[in-house]
Amino acid sequence: MGTAEDVVYAISRVYLAIVHLVFLAINFFKKKQHVPAPHDDIVMMSATEAMKRIKNREITPTQLVSAYIHRIEQVNPMINAAVVTIFDEARKIAAEYDQRIADSSDHELAELIRRQPLFGIPFSCKDSLEVEGQIVTSGSWLRKDHRCTETAVAVKRMQDAGAILIAITNVPELCSWIESNNTVYGRSRNPYDLRRIVGGSSGGEGALLGAAGTPVGVGSDVGGSIRIPSFVNGIFGLMPTPGIVPLDGHVPAPLGYKTQMLRVGPMCRYVEDIPLLLEIMAGDKAPSLHLNSPIDIKKCRIFYMFGIRLPLIRTLTDVMRDTLVKAVSHFENKFDMEGICVDLPYVVNHPGFYSASLEGNIPMSEKVLSLKGDAGKMNGFSELQKVILGKSHHTLAMVMLVLFESAKTENKEANEKAIQIRDRLKRQIVELLGYNGVLFFPSLSALQDAIAYLSLWRKSLVKHLVVGNLLGSNTKAIFELTLSPL
């Protein structure tokens, strides 16, 4: 007879299998649909390639902006990713850029692009980053009419680099779930299969990029919010080291240790754009990243993990496991390296130190009624009744979060112990990786997990992804790059 832990683990496997089969059966009767393939080659190039063509006067900012606006108009009725469009202003800026190019000599144009390396490139950002003059809701009904008076630093740096904002993209309510759905704009859908989710909280951003609606974008991540959408929409995303990209202008604003957990970072369709985007968003912190320094890959060390063994966290499917092994094998074979499979025992404690790390932030039951936490608390049970009757301004996911929160009991001693374990894990990873180590860690257990509404029944679907956010500023050598593995 196995231990109690083995019994719990076995029961959780059965539960996960049943839930998954139920949702597969439901979706079996829904026809698979996807967005049409782009017919304009101009939306199929990277931002880096587009900049070269602008510099060579082969394309103009107006051509780029017009092509992407047309693409958004084509796909957005299907995927509901762009919730605010800024087309008229974008066209005006693009026309001004065209004139500046026409008035410049080749030398002057080269100098202009050196100063503004995204000159004329369209981009989008998620609906939690303030944009002056635009309505930014963070998926909350409370902010459905809130027009911003300032622009988030990361977005402003993109604009200062010459990029042209054309759309703001959908998020879950208060960026607090992995399905991008809210009562202001509704649900976003995956461009490759409209039955599936786009992830969250930068889900609308991931979907629009995946559908070739923009070449690059700005997202944020506090527990997988860049990495999950990148994974399920087949794009690239980077969760930077904390402190590199400013958080100013993010809604909701983080407090306490969450300022270390939340990161703003780039999302894009082509990996070659990542270094340039990060350099721009990092501003004066960019030199510390040494992005343009040569790397001797043979001097790097490769480590990998096959996920986390915990109840209610699904083990890797064969496809995901094989993909991880292939990625490691690529480096082993091409660069004569040895990949080392590691086990980090403290990782299994992440649910405890995640909750403890949020101490000092406004409780969700208060934040959902007022971002300042000054309007009382939501009654989760009464709000659940409103959701069922279709009379609530909140999503079922948010109400469930409030109910989960209310069920927790405060234990100061347990929180202190959890923080100690978190800090031990940080030291353990720093010692393991040093400044030349790379850790391969799966984003999701399976592509099949990206089924709409499934996360409501599997709250722990991607909880292991928060480990990267919890490591904080002492792990300056760690960057987390997420890409679709298939």
Side-chain angles (χ1 to χ4, degrees):
M1 185 174 179
T3 64
E5 181 181 343
D6 290 332
V7 172
V8 172
Y9 188 79
I11 293 173
S12 74
R13 299 301 97 186
V14 174
Y15 170 77
L16 293 176
I18 292 173
V19 169
H20 189 70
L21 286 173
V22 168
F23 276 85
L24 282 179
I26 293 172
N27 280 277
F28 179 79
F29 297 100
K30 296 180 180 179
K31 183 180 179 181
K32 180 180 179 180
Q33 294 178 289
H34 57 78
V35 299
H39 296 298
D40 192 340
D41 291 341
I42 203 170
V43 302
M44 295 302 290
M45 66 180 73
S46 67
T48 302
E49 176 63 24
M51 283 309 308
K52 291 178 183 177
R53 298 197 183 190
I54 288 176
K55 184 178 180 180
N56 294 333
R57 303 180 191 269
E58 297 173 13
I59 59 174
T60 66
T62 290
Q63 288 175 313
L64 268 176
V65 166
S66 297
Y68 278 106
I69 288 176
H70 176 72
R71 180 61 176 171
I72 292 174
E73 290 174 336
Q74 180 185 32
V75 301
N76 204 55
M78 300 178 70
I79 61 175
N80 189 36
V83 294
V84 175
T85 54
I86 315 171
F87 294 163
D88 290 342
E89 183 177 339
R91 290 189 182 101
K92 181 180 178 181
I93 295 173
E96 293 173 357
Y97 284 7
D98 287 354
Q99 190 60 51
R100 289 178 66 184
I101 292 173
D103 294 341
S104 300
S105 65
D106 289 348
H107 174 74
E108 290 170 335
L109 178 57
E111 179 61 22
L112 172 62
I113 291 175
R114 186 191 67 79
R115 295 194 310 269
Q116 293 182 285
L118 290 177
F119 189 79
I121 300 297
F123 81 105
S124 52
C125 69
K126 70 185 291 187
D127 185 30
S128 65
L129 295 164
E130 292 189 312
V131 178
E132 183 179 0
Q134 302 298 329
I135 291 177
V136 171
T137 70
S138 193
S140 171
W141 187 267
L142 298 173
R143 291 178 57 94
K144 65 183 179 67
D145 299 316
H146 181 83
R147 202 168 290 276
C148 302
T149 58
E150 296 180 346
T151 297
V153 172
V155 176
K156 184 68 165 58
R157 286 179 175 176
M158 291 284 287
Q159 293 174 319
D160 290 344
I164 302 174
L165 183 64
I166 61 174
I168 297 173
T169 54
N170 207 21
V171 298
E173 186 173 0
L174 294 180
C175 298
S176 297
W177 202 253
I178 68 165
E179 297 190 32
S180 292
N181 177 40
N182 57 67
T183 58
V184 183
Y185 298 118
R187 175 180 295 276
S188 295
R189 291 173 286 277
N190 194 296
Y192 294 97
D193 185 345
L194 301 185
R195 300 171 300 178
R196 297 186 180 272
I197 67 171
V198 299
S201 60
S202 308
E205 194 65 28
L208 195 62
L209 285 161
T214 52
V216 295
V218 187
S220 64
D221 191 313
V222 76
S225 298
I226 286 177
R227 292 162 289 162
I228 300 166
S230 296
F231 181 91
V232 300
N233 293 288
I235 64 166
F236 295 86
L238 180 71
M239 185 187 77
T241 300
I244 294 297
V245 180
L247 305 178
D248 306 66
H250 190 278
V251 182
L255 300 171
Y257 191 79
K258 199 172 182 180
T259 58
Q260 297 292 322
M261 295 168 60
L262 178 64
R263 327 283 172 81
V264 173
M267 301 173 71
C268 53
R269 294 177 55 233
Y270 296 92
V271 71
E272 69 173 342
D273 292 333
I274 288 278
L276 175 59
L277 296 175
L278 182 59
E279 183 176 16
I280 289 168
M281 293 183 200
D284 58 357
K285 297 289 182 67
S288 67
L289 301 176
H290 305 288
L291 293 172
N292 298 315
S293 299
I295 297 175
D296 186 349
I297 296 182
K298 291 185 177 181
K299 291 184 178 180
C300 294
R301 297 173 300 136
I302 300 294
F303 303 92
Y304 62 97
M305 289 180 65
F306 289 112
I308 302 173
R309 188 181 188 274
L310 274 178
L312 298 182
I313 291 184
R314 185 177 180 181
T315 54
L316 292 185
T317 60
D318 290 341
V319 171
M320 287 297 298
R321 191 180 184 90
D322 291 345
T323 302
L324 178 58
V325 171
K326 286 179 182 178
V328 174
S329 297
H330 169 78
F331 286 90
E332 290 181 325
N333 297 329
K334 186 171 183 177
F335 301 103
D336 192 26
M337 306 169 71
E338 180 184 2
I340 301 173
C341 184
V342 296
D343 180 27
L344 300 172
Y346 290 131
V347 170
V348 300
N349 299 102
H350 74 273
F353 54 67
Y354 180 75
S355 298
S357 296
L358 293 178
E359 191 172 323
N361 277 267
I362 299 171
M364 192 62 71
S365 58
E366 298 177 19
K367 187 189 298 183
V368 74
L369 299 181
S370 168
L371 294 185
K372 296 180 180 179
D374 57 1
K377 292 185 177 182
M378 172 193 283
N379 184 313
F381 291 104
S382 63
E383 199 65 34
L384 179 60
Q385 296 176 28
K386 294 180 183 179
V387 170
I388 295 172
L389 296 173
K391 296 183 178 181
S392 176
H393 291 315
H394 304 286
T395 60
L396 176 58
M398 177 56 71
V399 174
M400 289 180 65
L401 283 175
V402 170
L403 289 172
F404 283 129
E405 179 185 80
S406 63
K408 293 179 181 178
T409 56
E410 286 295 324
N411 187 324
K412 186 176 181 180
E413 184 177 343
N415 283 349
E416 290 176 352
K417 184 174 179 59
I419 296 300
Q420 290 177 354
I421 295 174
R422 180 198 70 195
D423 293 341
R424 286 179 201 163
L425 177 62
K426 288 165 60 174
R427 292 193 297 269
Q428 186 181 51
I429 292 182
V430 169
E431 291 171 3
L432 174 70
L433 298 183
Y435 282 85
N436 65 343
V438 179
L439 176 62
F440 285 76
F441 192 85
S443 297
L444 288 178
S445 301
L447 283 174
Q448 297 96 315
D449 287 339
I451 300 175
Y453 301 103
L454 177 60
S455 63
L456 292 171
W457 298 92
R458 289 175 56 185
K459 185 173 179 286
S460 58
L461 189 65
V462 291
K463 285 184 72 173
H464 59 290
L465 286 177
V466 305
V467 172
N469 301 84
L470 290 165
L471 296 178
S473 59
N474 289 339
T475 49
K476 293 182 179 178
I478 298 176
F479 293 88
E480 297 196 27
L481 181 65
T482 300
L483 59 152
S484 174
L486 298 177

